[in-house]
Amino acid sequence: MVVTTILSAWRNRLSVWVYGVAFMLCICSFAEAQKPGDSSRFCFRISAGYAIENFNWSIAGNNENGEPVNILSELRWKNIGGPQLGIHGEAYLWKKLSIRGDFYKTFITTGEVTDTDFSGNDRSDTLFHDTFSSDKGSISGYHGAMGYTFDLAQKHSIKPFVGYGKDSQLLYLLRDYGNVQGDLKSTYHTQWVGVLTGFDLCVSLHPKLTGRGQFMYHQVKYSAAADWNLIADFEHPVSFKHKAKGYGLEAEGALEYLVRKRVTIVLITRYRYWTTGPGTDTLFRIGGNTIVTKLNPVHRNSLIFSTGVHVKF
């Protein structure tokens, strides 16, 4: 039954990608017929692939200074991932000045999370440890930026850009292996919001083959809200909140192969690393009792492989 459900979900998502690619090819054919010559002012890319991610956070002590225990409770999500959809659009406003927008969403279908509590410093004297399923949820992002293309020798180019973005994760703690009683469905919802900057590098490898690289830096404010649904002493739907400041790094490598005048097939590999400095953990207990403790640095990394169709108009 489980295998059948998974295969059915994959077939449904695959059909979306197939119809989307077919739609883009039809649009491209129309664009070629209407606009002879290489006068493209707009490009659009749709891609599909697979993403895998690790994520962890911990809190310290029972006060804002993180005392007396430097790691009191720690959660680690491991190998959370699933199919990912990506959409990119770019329009040239004036000469080589352009604006761009990106969207991606990962549909989580696999992964697990561990929850561990300690009574001693440096993860010593374990009080509680359990492993839970985390095969539900999503990871998404919206980015907008403005850039300017500088031509280099031999059909190469570099494009610096600046912009703004919002990335988020909706993560779950679901069933465990029999230690927890009740319908466990706890959630942890994050947001990474702030300015970004970076550059695109384009290198012509062959008349039909182009290599592309991208580097991006995010300066963000991190926030998260959790609902620990089985703990009666916590408020619901918001049991606690996290806040911190951090940054994100992204590196992408891609190969584009020209299959038609304005159509390229793209193979993409992307790596993301995000982290924060220390922040605050605010716990809301039933009866209005609020406790503020120290949030240790939050860490996140992901790897994405995808392929897509890039169309120029």
Side-chain angles (χ1 to χ4, degrees):
M1 179 65 72
V2 174
V3 174
T4 302
T5 302
I6 293 173
L7 290 176
S8 177
W10 271 94
R11 282 197 298 269
N12 292 337
R13 287 164 182 158
L14 181 60
S15 66
V16 173
W17 309 146
V18 171
Y19 289 137
V21 170
F23 176 69
M24 290 308 305
L25 290 174
C26 290
I27 290 178
C28 177
S29 297
F30 175 78
E32 276 196 63
Q34 299 297 318
K35 293 182 67 176
D38 190 13
S39 56
S40 305
R41 304 299 296 171
F42 177 77
C43 65
F44 183 87
R45 183 180 75 204
I46 183 169
S47 61
Y50 192 87
I52 195 76
E53 182 163 316
N54 296 309
F55 172 74
N56 68 82
W57 59 263
S58 66
I59 59 173
N62 54 20
N63 57 48
E64 294 185 63
N65 295 323
E67 299 169 340
V69 181
N70 60 7
I71 300 178
L72 181 68
S73 181
E74 181 177 47
L75 279 89
R76 289 181 171 270
W77 280 264
K78 301 175 183 178
N79 299 322
I80 50 174
Q84 182 182 97
L85 167 68
I87 299 174
H88 167 86
E90 185 169 10
Y92 282 84
L93 303 176
W94 176 77
K95 294 184 178 180
K96 296 179 181 181
L97 180 68
S98 63
I99 58 172
R100 60 199 286 174
D102 294 274
F103 164 78
Y104 74 89
K105 185 168 185 177
T106 301
F107 304 89
I108 297 175
T109 59
T110 184
E112 66 178 24
V113 53
T114 59
D115 184 359
T116 311
D117 296 337
F118 306 95
S119 62
N121 283 327
D122 303 320
R123 300 182 178 87
S124 61
D125 300 328
T126 301
L127 294 176
F128 170 84
H129 177 81
D130 204 351
T131 300
F132 306 89
S133 173
S134 187
D135 56 358
K136 182 180 179 180
S138 62
I139 302 167
S140 60
Y142 306 83
H143 304 144
M146 178 175 289
Y148 191 89
T149 303
F150 295 92
D151 291 328
L152 305 176
Q154 299 178 351
K155 298 183 179 180
H156 308 328
S157 66
I158 188 169
K159 182 190 300 179
F161 58 83
V162 294
Y164 193 81
K166 175 183 177 181
D167 292 74
S168 62
Q169 302 156 288
L170 176 57
L171 307 177
Y172 281 82
L173 284 80
L174 300 171
R175 59 197 176 276
D176 68 346
Y177 299 98
N179 298 320
V180 174
Q181 302 299 318
D183 183 19
L184 178 63
K185 196 176 182 180
S186 293
T187 59
Y188 188 79
H189 192 184
T190 76
Q191 294 189 57
W192 309 71
V193 182
V195 296
L196 60 88
T197 186
F199 63 86
D200 292 319
L201 181 65
C202 176
V203 178
S204 178
L205 303 175
H206 183 271
K208 289 191 174 184
L209 184 65
T210 301
R212 294 188 182 275
Q214 182 186 96
F215 176 81
M216 194 184 309
Y217 173 83
H218 302 256
Q219 186 67 44
V220 298
K221 291 183 178 179
Y222 172 81
S223 62
D227 181 10
W228 262 213
N229 73 306
L230 292 185
I231 300 183
D233 190 39
F234 289 180
E235 289 279 4
H236 305 285
V238 179
S239 303
F240 57 89
K241 290 184 177 181
H242 288 162
K243 288 187 178 181
K245 293 181 179 180
Y247 66 90
L249 301 174
E250 299 190 35
E252 176 183 288
L255 286 175
E256 296 187 359
Y257 185 78
L258 185 67
V259 293
R260 298 189 63 180
K261 188 174 182 179
R262 286 187 170 87
V263 185
T264 55
I265 300 298
V266 190
L267 298 176
I268 307 166
T269 301
R270 177 178 285 265
Y271 177 76
R272 295 188 175 105
Y273 173 80
W274 302 73
T275 190
T276 74
T280 59
D281 166 87
T282 305
L283 175 65
F284 305 99
R285 291 185 177 274
I286 293 293
N289 185 21
T290 300
I291 300 174
V292 179
T293 59
K294 180 182 177 181
L295 174 69
N296 291 322
V298 179
H299 301 289
R300 170 190 177 193
N301 64 79
S302 57
L303 185 62
I304 302 100
F305 300 97
S306 60
T307 184
V309 178
H310 190 105
V311 182
K312 294 181 179 180
F313 298 87

